[in-house]
Amino acid sequence: TSPAMTGSAVVAPVVVPGATRLVGAAAAGQRLGALGVPVPPGRVVAADRVLIPLHCEYFALEGLADLVGTMRRVRAGMNPGLDIEGVLLTMSDERTNLGQQVARDVREFFKEKVYSTVIPRNVRLAEAPSHGMPVITYDARSRGAEAYSAFAAEFRQRQQAV
């Protein structure tokens, strides 16, 4: 499987042009806070936490393994404080064995880091970008919009608890 197919190309390599400037900014106390993936790899160096949206599919697990390895290297070399903010399961279809297995495996490995909110596979989520709108504007009552609203509330609640 190629890195492009697994999604690992998004996070590799660890050291990229500009990473030194980001590390300098981080050393000066300028942090980027939580980042959602995908981001340029150099941004991970200056982040405190990474939020990982994960499709409930096999190839996404391979990309996740690569991301975790990248984060280990960043911790060892440039940013020992880097942590996973959480894992958000997306494009989930609980009707399939694969979706159920991916969710189970991710929850087993990441434990409390996995958000309880799961974003379902939803036609309205797929249609919204083609209309140039966020799903909350396109169809606020769709399952996808409701799931993202629930995730936002869960995310805020976790932030307030920290």
Side-chain angles (χ1 to χ4, degrees):
T1 303
S2 75
M5 293 216 32
T6 64
S8 61
V10 172
V11 294
V14 174
V15 180
V16 297
T20 321
R21 287 190 305 271
L22 288 169
V23 171
Q30 298 173 349
R31 290 297 202 187
L32 298 178
L35 291 176
V37 173
V39 296
R43 305 266 188 208
V44 174
V45 172
D48 294 320
R49 300 172 314 279
V50 177
L51 171 63
I52 305 169
L54 181 75
H55 292 198
C56 291
E57 297 174 0
Y58 173 75
F59 284 129
L61 288 178
E62 289 188 15
L64 181 61
D66 290 343
L67 173 61
V68 169
T70 297
M71 289 183 67
R72 282 190 189 120
R73 290 188 300 277
V74 169
R75 269 192 223 109
M78 297 182 239
N79 183 354
L82 181 63
D83 195 14
I84 294 173
E85 170 69 31
V87 179
L88 175 64
L89 299 173
T90 66
M91 294 187 70
S92 175
D93 187 346
E94 286 295 318
R95 300 171 299 177
T96 67
N97 290 335
L98 177 61
Q100 293 171 18
Q101 184 63 49
V102 168
R104 193 170 30 252
D105 290 351
V106 170
R107 289 185 191 287
E108 186 176 308
F109 185 81
F110 288 101
K111 309 218 181 297
E112 74 281 348
K113 295 280 188 184
V114 181
Y115 287 92
S116 60
T117 303
V118 175
I119 309 301
R121 189 174 292 275
N122 180 259
V123 172
R124 303 306 265 175
L125 284 174
E127 290 173 347
S130 70
H131 293 278
M133 295 183 216
V135 71
I136 204 78
T137 303
Y138 182 66
D139 186 353
R141 289 184 282 213
S142 69
R143 287 182 57 229
E146 289 175 353
Y148 272 110
S149 293
F151 166 67
E154 184 179 358
F155 182 83
R156 279 191 305 271
Q157 183 179 18
R158 281 193 187 189
Q159 296 308 300
Q160 291 169 352
V162 174

